[in-house]
Each structure stands twice: as C-alpha cells, then as structure tokens.
C-alpha cells in the first residue's frame, strides 16, 4: 500500500509545487503594477502573498480554487443557482442521456458492420470521417437545426454528447466482435450453431473487454460534448455555462473550479464503469 501511495503523493506534491510557482510567475506583473501605482515596495513575502490572493488572477492558486469549490458546494444549497452541484447535475443529465444514446448507436452500428459487408464498406469510412469534423464547428449547427424543429433543452446537448461518444464504442465493439479466432468460429460451425447463437455465445462475450474500454473513453467524451453543447446555446446552467460566465467576467477562479469539478465528475463516472467492468468480467470468468 505504502509502495503505491508514495509515488502518487510525490507526483501530486510536484504538481502543486509547479502550480503555486506558476501562479507567482503569471500574477506577479499585476502585483508589481499595483505596487508601482501605490508607491509600495514589494518584498518576496508580500509578492507571494499578493499573487496567491488576487481576486481576478491570471492563474489562481490551488487553495483559492479549493475555497471556491467549498463555497459553491458545501456552503450553498443544492437547489441554488450558485451551487456547483446544481450545475454539475445539469451537465451530468445531458452526459448520461448522450452516453446512453451513443452507446446504443455504437453497438448497433458495430453489429451491422461485422455482419453486413455492405455496411462494413460504406458506413465505417463515414464513421471515421465524422470524427474529423471539429465539435466546436458542428455543435452550433446541431443546436440551430434542432431548435428549428422545436427541440430544445436537454436533447440538443445530449445529441452532441452522443456524437462524440458513439465513435469509440463502434471501433471497440467492431474490434471485440471480430476478436474470436478462426478455430473458435470453426468450432461453432461444427456444433451447427446459427449466426445468432454464435453472436450471443461467442462474439458478444469476447467483445466485453473491448466494450468496457470503449465505454470509459465514450463517457469522458460524452461529458466533453455536454459541456461544449452548453457554450453555443448561451446556457445559464451547467458546467459549460459556468465556464462561459467566468470567461465573460474574467472570473478565473470560477473557471478553474468548474474545470476541477468536471474532471472529478469524469473520473467518478469512469471509475463506476471500471467497477462494473471488474464485476462483469469476474462473473464471466474473464478476470
């Protein structure tokens, strides 16, 4: 246990040391400018204290971000519009819906590609080409088109999440469904197994490790899609809205707290999938 914790703590301490150092470096010009205008002389101690306590720093210090997260999670009611938990839930709801849609679409396309030669030749290139379009370019078009047909609110953001999350699922599932070797497939034929039986008893179980790996990537991509989907809509709620409002008013501490919350949310969701993966593969005798 100590052997694993020590390297992790060393890396974390190094990151915090670099972060504090970068905060001094980036915020020092404003501190010197303020001191020049007031006629003060900054010592090393006062310079560090100033760069770590500015209200609108270029780079907030870690304790400033931690304080902001504490104030907007513990000190605020969950229903408050200033609560980071409230905004996280708004983004999470779009993330989960988009992830579910993307997973379903990805698995359906993968099955079609594996079992249909025409889909393999025609759909797969388009699936790959779809990811070459920047999401920042296509997100406003999705929002505008869906608004034109009367669809607004949660679904447009979920569609953007689906757009990002279905790709890793398609690629992973195609790889997984094709993972059984020729001898295993020949054995199923000697048992006179139908294509449906081959799918449920050989191809699908063999694809599980690939599927869960793809789901972890898809979940993280889905969260990014939900946040990006909140930007062109001018949303007033959600982590994307917090980022947007922070950039408008120069509230870098608010931006960083939203980023840290988004990272924690993504890590939690990926960890949940990892837990389900371990339980599932263990029950299937694959772990």
């Amino acid at each position: 246990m100590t052997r694993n914790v020590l390297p992790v703590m060393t890396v974390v301490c190094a990151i915090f040391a670099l972060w504090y150092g970068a905060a001094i470096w980036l915020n020092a010009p404003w501190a010197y400018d303020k001191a020049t205008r007031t006629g003060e002389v900054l010592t090393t101690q006062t310079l560090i204290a100033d760069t770590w306590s500015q209200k609108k720093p270029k780079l907030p210090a870690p304790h400033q971000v931690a304080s902001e997260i504490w104030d907007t999670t513990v000190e605020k009611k969950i229903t408050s519009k200033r609560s980071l938990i409230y905004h996280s839930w708004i983004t999470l709801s779009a993330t989960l819906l988009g992830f579910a849609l993307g997973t379903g679409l990805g698995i359906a396309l993968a099955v079609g590609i594996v079992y249909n030669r025409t889909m393999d030749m025609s759909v797969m290139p388009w699936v790959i080409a779809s990811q070459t379009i920047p999401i920042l370019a296509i997100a406003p078009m999705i929002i505008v088109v869906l608004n034109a047909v009367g669809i607004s609110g949660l679904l447009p953001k979920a569609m953007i999440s689906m757009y990002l999350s279905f790709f890793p699922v398609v690629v992973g599932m195609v790889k997984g469904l094709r993972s059984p070797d020729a001898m295993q497939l020949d054995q199923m034929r000697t048992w006179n197994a139908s294509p449906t039986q081959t799918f449920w008893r050989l191809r699908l179980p063999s694809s599980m490790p690939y599927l869960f790996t793809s789901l972890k990537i898809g979940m993280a991509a889905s969260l990014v899609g939900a946040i990006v989907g909140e930007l062109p809509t001018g949303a007033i709620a959600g982590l994307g809205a917090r980022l947007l409002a922070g950039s408008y008013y120069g509230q870098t501490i608010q931006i960083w707290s939203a980023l840290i919350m988004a990272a924690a949310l993504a890590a939690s969701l990926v960890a949940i999938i990892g837990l389900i993966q371990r339980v599932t593969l263990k029950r299937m005798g694959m772990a």
Side-chain angles (χ1 to χ4, degrees), residues 68-94 223 230 236-240 242 254 257-258 260-262 264-265:
E68 173 71 10
I69 292 175
W70 177 268
D71 290 340
T72 53
T73 54
V74 179
E75 300 292 334
K76 296 287 186 302
K77 291 182 178 179
I78 295 176
T79 54
S80 170
K81 298 293 177 62
R82 299 185 63 185
S83 169
L84 208 51
I85 296 177
Y86 167 79
H87 291 284
S88 298
W89 168 248
I90 298 295
T91 302
L92 178 63
S93 57
L223 179 63
E230 290 169 349
I236 59 174
L239 293 176
R242 293 283 289 182
Q254 178 178 315
S257 63
I260 297 295
M261 181 59 77
L265 193 60

Side-chain angles (χ1 to χ4, degrees), residues 24 31-32 35 40-51:
I24 296 173
Y32 281 122
E40 297 179 9
V41 177
L42 286 178
T43 62
T44 302
Q45 187 175 4
T46 55
L47 173 66
I48 293 174
D50 187 282
T51 54

Side-chain angles (χ1 to χ4, degrees), residues 239-284:
L239 293 176
R242 293 283 289 182
L243 294 172
L244 202 60
S247 65
Y248 280 157
Y249 301 107
Q251 296 290 344
T252 51
I253 299 176
Q254 178 178 315
I255 294 174
W256 276 85
S257 63
L259 287 174
I260 297 295
M261 181 59 77
L265 193 60
S268 301
L269 293 172
V270 171
I272 291 172
I273 294 176
L275 180 62
I276 297 172
Q277 178 185 12
R278 282 198 296 273
V279 173
T280 304
L281 295 185
K282 188 175 181 180
R283 289 195 172 187
M284 295 175 69

Side-chain angles (χ1 to χ4, degrees), residues 183-264:
M183 290 185 64
Q184 291 174 310
L185 294 172
D186 286 341
Q187 188 173 22
M188 294 299 289
R189 292 191 192 97
T190 60
W191 290 342
N192 199 27
S194 65
T196 303
Q197 290 174 319
T198 302
F199 173 78
W200 287 108
R201 298 183 182 182
L202 179 60
R203 288 189 184 275
L204 187 61
S206 300
S207 71
M208 285 297 108
Y210 299 88
L211 174 62
F212 279 110
T213 302
S214 302
L215 291 180
K216 291 177 183 177
I217 301 171
M219 179 60 84
S222 183
L223 179 63
V224 172
I227 292 174
V228 171
E230 290 169 349
L231 301 181
T233 60
I236 59 174
L239 293 176
R242 293 283 289 182
L243 294 172
L244 202 60
S247 65
Y248 280 157
Y249 301 107
Q251 296 290 344
T252 51
I253 299 176
Q254 178 178 315
I255 294 174
W256 276 85
S257 63
L259 287 174
I260 297 295
M261 181 59 77

